[in-house]
Amino acid sequence: MGKAFLDQDIGEAQRVVDTNVSGTIRLLHLIGRDMRSAGQGRILITGFIAGFIPGTFQAVYNAQRPS
């Protein structure tokens, strides 16, 4: 988001989290149900290295790595 964490707009930070986390969960749920109905399919959830390293002005984004 390009600013220090405490200088960021909390609404914008929440939008990023909603997009990257809540949006992913909703998409997986929708696709998973379709695959279950079809009796086939697989989902691969991947992470990214940014969650394991410090990122200047990236606190919200980097904190969203899968555990």
Side-chain angles (χ1 to χ4, degrees):
M1 293 178 46
K3 296 179 183 175
F5 178 69
L6 296 178
D7 294 333
Q8 295 173 5
D9 176 83
I10 192 63
E12 285 295 307
Q14 186 64 55
R15 185 185 61 78
V16 171
V17 172
D18 286 345
T19 299
N20 294 335
V21 178
S22 301
T24 300
I25 291 169
R26 288 175 184 262
L27 182 61
L28 288 171
H29 192 264
L30 177 67
I31 292 170
R33 285 178 166 244
D34 288 345
M35 289 190 299
R36 182 175 64 183
S37 294
Q40 64 181 11
R42 290 182 167 76
I43 297 172
L44 174 65
I45 301 171
T46 62
F48 54 99
I49 192 98
F52 296 99
I53 58 175
T56 305
F57 302 127
Q58 296 296 322
V60 173
Y61 180 77
N62 287 10
Q64 298 174 64
R65 71 166 180 82
S67 300

